[in-house]
Structure formats: structure tokens, C-alpha cells
């Protein structure tokens, strides 16, 4: 019990210290005036949340979120649980989708079926569908076919479909993503650039041109802060991560400028994850920071910085 109390004290003290520290890490952002149509929508993740969809929406709404992002489920019961919850609490919803199988033909078939179901559901039009697209070991032509599937379904449904810059997926690395950017004019990305920091073991200063091209194609952002040795810092409020925080916000600032200038909706997900994405203490697997508190703090920063 003594260990547990000390740990709680540690988390409370570091959170209080970090809240003021992170605010001083960020230089002011000079944002252009927003054209009509611009709106910032910040969503909560269900990743690591132990309760029901209703409980998630209730807690996220109380914390000031605008919606939730969840995987599109296969069963009608699970779908109805999501839609009932978001309607009850007045929340928006974005969906995640993937193909699942390691065999391309099966993967592509499941991928297309899932996207058709998510975009064509009769309950509520999602803000977007974010795809864990393809595999890093599929051929460029195979992954290109998956992009073509999303382009067709997005145009037919009117629902934006994005491809996440995620490890193990087709957009796992900056230079690979660039090839798709150059050959697929309708490609739109979910920027989770923390993965690229990890994959390339850098803050991507040697690939600035490629990153700039990617930022022009961003539709949605996963606002997690990574570093050269991992996709998630232990606590972005800690002063030792100042450089990482500034690097990520500089990338997000550029996307915000584009969205504001075009009058487009800007969706962002606060996506700091639970153990073991969150570093843990040896032997106990106790997270070294409070996942929910970090995500809410990130939400507050994003709304203060990018809100109209």
C-alpha cells in the first residue's frame, strides 16, 4: 500500500509540474485568419479505456472532447452500442479500419467490405475513416490497389478516408510514403509522425522536403509525441522532451495553417496509449504516467492553439 500511495503522489506532483512546463515549451503560433468552414474537432481514443462506449463518451464529453475514434466493429450489436453512445452524448465519431489478413487477396477483400460498411452505415455519417492500410511487406502495386479502393469508396460515399503513417503499414516510412504521394493524387493521410521519428531514428531534419509534401496531404492527425527511439515519450509535460514537443507542434502548426487557409475541418485525436506503449516500471508493469490525464492535457493545448 505504501508503494501505491507514493506512486500516486509521484504522478500528481509530476503532472502539476509538467502542466506548467509544457506551456512554456511552445513558442507562440502565428496562425492565419480562418476561412469560413474551418473548425477544430478533437477526439478521444478508446485505446486503453476499460469501460463501455457509453462510459467513454460520458467521460470524454465531460473532459471537453468533441468526439471519439474507435475501430469499426463487425457485429450489429457493437455498432449500435457506438451509435447509441455518441447520439446520447452529442459526440462525433471517426472510425478505424484495416484488412487484417497477411495474405493480400483476403486483406483487400476484408478491407473493402469494412470500408463499405463503415461509410455506408445508416445510423451516423462518420467524420472520416482512418485506415491501417496494407502491410509494409506488400508490393508497391498491391498497396497501391488498396489506395485505389479507398479513393473509389470515399468519392462514392462522401466520407474522407485516410491512410495512417504507421509502422508495419504501407506508410511506415517517409520515403515510401513519398512514392505514393507522387503517384496517387487523391491520397490523403492521417499524420502520426511519431512513427516516422521512430522508424528513421531522427526528427526527420534530413527529410524535410518529404515531410513538407506529406503535410500537404494530411486530413487527420494523431497527436502523439514520439522520439528517435520510440513512438511515445513517457510524459510530454516533462522538460526533457522539450525538443520532441516543439518538433511535433511545428509539424501540426503547418497542417493547421493549411486547414485554416482552406476553410477545412481539422480533426485531431489525442492518442497517448496505455502500457506497454506507455513505459512501465520494471516487474510491476505500472505505467509511469497517467494516460488519460496526458491525453486531456494534450486536448487542452490543441484547442487553445488551433481553435478558431
Amino acid at each position: 500500500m505504501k508503494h501505491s500511495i507514493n506512486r500516486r503522489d509521484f504522478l500528481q506532483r509530476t503532472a502539476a509540474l509538467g502542466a506548467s512546463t509544457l506551456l512554456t515549451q511552445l513558442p507562440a503560433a502565428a496562425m492565419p485568419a480562418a476561412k469560413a468552414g474551418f473548425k477544430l474537432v478533437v477526439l478521444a481514443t478508446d485505446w486503453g479505456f476499460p469501460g463501455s462506449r457509453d462510459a467513454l463518451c460520458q467521460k470524454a464529453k465531460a473532459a471537453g472532447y468533441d468526439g471519439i475514434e474507435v475501430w469499426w466493429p463487425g457485429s450489429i450489436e457493437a455498432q449500435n452500442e457506438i451509435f447509441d453512445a455518441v447520439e446520447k452524448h452529442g459526440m462525433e465519431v471517426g472510425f478505424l479500419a484495416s484488412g487484417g489478413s497477411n495474405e493480400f487477396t483476403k486483406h483487400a477483400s476484408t478491407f473493402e467490405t469494412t470500408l463499405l460498411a463503415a461509410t455506408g452505415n445508416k445510423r451516423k455519417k462518420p467524420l472520416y475513416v482512418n485506415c491501417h492500410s496494407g502491410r509494409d511487406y506488400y508490393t508497391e502495386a498491391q498497396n497501391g490497389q488498396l489506395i485505389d479502393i479507398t479513393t473509389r469508396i470515399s468519392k462514392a460515399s462522401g466520407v474522407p478516408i485516410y491512410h495512417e503513417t504507421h509502422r508495419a503499414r504501407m506508410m511506415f516510412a517517409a520515403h515510401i510514403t513519398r512514392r505514393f504521394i507522387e503517384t496517387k493524387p487523391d491520397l490523403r493521410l492521417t499524420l502520426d509522425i511519431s512513427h516516422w521519428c521512430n522508424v528513421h531514428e531522427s526528427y526527420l531534419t534530413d527529410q524535410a522536403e518529404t515531410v513538407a509534401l506529406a503535410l500537404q496531404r494530411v486530413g487527420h492527425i494523431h497527436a502523439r509525441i514520439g522520439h528517435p527511439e520510440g513512438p511515445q515519450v513517457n510524459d510530454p509535460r516533462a522538460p526533457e522532451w522539450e525538443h520532441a514537443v516543439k518538433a511535433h507542434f511545428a509539424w501540426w502548426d503547418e497542417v493547421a495553417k493549411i486547414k485554416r487557409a482552406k476553410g477545412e475541418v481539422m480533426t485531431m485525436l489525442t492518442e497517448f496509449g496505455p502500457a506497454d506503449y506507455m513505459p512501465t516500471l520494471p516487474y510491476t508493469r505500472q505505467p509511469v504516467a497517467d494516460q488519460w490525464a496526458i491525453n486531456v492535457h494534450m486536448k487542452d493545448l490543441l484547442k487553445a492553439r488551433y481553435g478558431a
Side-chain angles (χ1 to χ4, degrees):
M1 179 61 71
K2 182 178 180 181
H3 173 79
S4 176
I5 293 173
N6 288 340
R7 180 175 174 275
R8 284 200 301 270
D9 289 344
F10 168 78
L11 292 178
Q12 291 171 353
R13 290 173 183 175
T14 54
L17 177 63
S20 59
T21 302
L22 185 52
L23 291 173
T24 63
Q25 289 175 355
L26 296 174
M31 291 289 146
K35 286 188 177 180
F38 173 81
K39 181 173 69 170
L40 176 68
V41 179
V42 185
L43 301 105
T45 180
D46 69 336
W47 187 20
F49 187 80
S52 66
R53 303 304 192 191
D54 183 78
L56 172 64
C57 285
Q58 182 178 32
K59 187 170 184 179
K61 183 77 171 183
Y65 281 101
D66 304 304
I68 61 171
E69 181 179 291
V70 296
W71 283 91
W72 174 257
S75 73
I76 296 297
E77 293 77 12
Q79 294 165 20
N80 285 333
E81 182 187 5
I82 293 169
F83 290 124
D84 289 346
V86 297
E87 289 172 5
K88 174 182 176 181
H89 296 282
M91 302 287 272
E92 298 289 351
V93 64
F95 290 118
L96 290 143
S98 183
S101 175
N102 63 341
E103 195 279 315
F104 176 74
T105 302
K106 293 179 181 178
H107 186 106
S109 177
T110 301
F111 187 58
E112 182 169 6
T113 299
T114 301
L115 289 174
L116 288 170
T119 59
N121 84 82
K122 304 302 181 184
R123 290 287 303 271
K124 183 179 178 66
K125 183 178 180 179
L127 288 172
Y128 57 82
V129 178
N130 171 42
C131 301
H132 277 222
S133 312
R135 300 284 190 178
D136 53 5
Y137 53 79
Y138 286 168
T139 68
E140 187 170 339
Q142 288 173 329
N143 282 325
Q145 290 179 48
L146 299 177
I147 295 174
D148 293 341
I149 288 172
T150 62
T151 299
R152 170 169 47 81
I153 295 174
S154 182
K155 288 181 177 180
S157 66
V159 176
I161 301 178
Y162 307 129
H163 299 266
E164 187 173 347
T165 60
H166 199 291
R167 288 171 299 152
R169 309 301 181 183
M170 70 166 74
M171 307 292 175
F172 71 96
H175 64 292
I176 300 298
T177 302
R178 179 169 184 161
R179 298 214 290 261
F180 291 116
I181 290 172
E182 292 172 342
T183 58
K184 301 291 183 182
D186 293 315
L187 172 68
R188 294 298 179 267
L189 302 173
T190 290
L191 183 73
D192 191 340
I193 204 165
S194 67
H195 288 284
W196 285 0
C197 292
N198 190 191
V199 168
H200 295 288
E201 289 197 308
S202 73
Y203 290 110
L204 306 167
T205 54
D206 57 347
Q207 297 195 74
E209 181 182 347
T210 297
V211 171
L213 288 174
L215 296 180
Q216 295 290 328
R217 297 291 189 93
V218 172
H220 177 46
I221 292 174
H222 278 189
R224 186 178 59 250
I225 292 173
H227 59 104
E229 305 306 329
Q232 178 172 302
V233 300
N234 52 23
D235 190 332
R237 300 167 296 187
E240 60 264 35
W241 296 117
E242 178 179 359
H243 182 73
V245 168
K246 286 181 175 178
H248 284 70
F249 271 91
W251 291 315
W252 302 337
D253 284 353
E254 292 305 307
V255 176
K257 291 174 184 177
I258 294 168
K259 294 289 188 183
R260 292 174 71 89
K262 291 183 177 180
E264 295 179 348
V265 174
M266 182 174 179
T267 57
M268 305 185 77
L269 177 77
T270 59
E271 207 203 15
F272 276 77
D276 292 306
Y277 233 77
M278 173 75 69
T280 60
L281 298 174
Y283 304 103
T284 66
R285 291 191 68 246
Q286 292 296 306
V288 299
D290 185 323
Q291 178 200 6
W292 182 265
I294 287 175
N295 279 325
V296 169
H297 190 73
M298 290 295 296
K299 180 267 302 176
D300 291 340
L301 281 178
L302 298 175
K303 287 206 165 191
R305 193 172 185 86
Y306 303 130

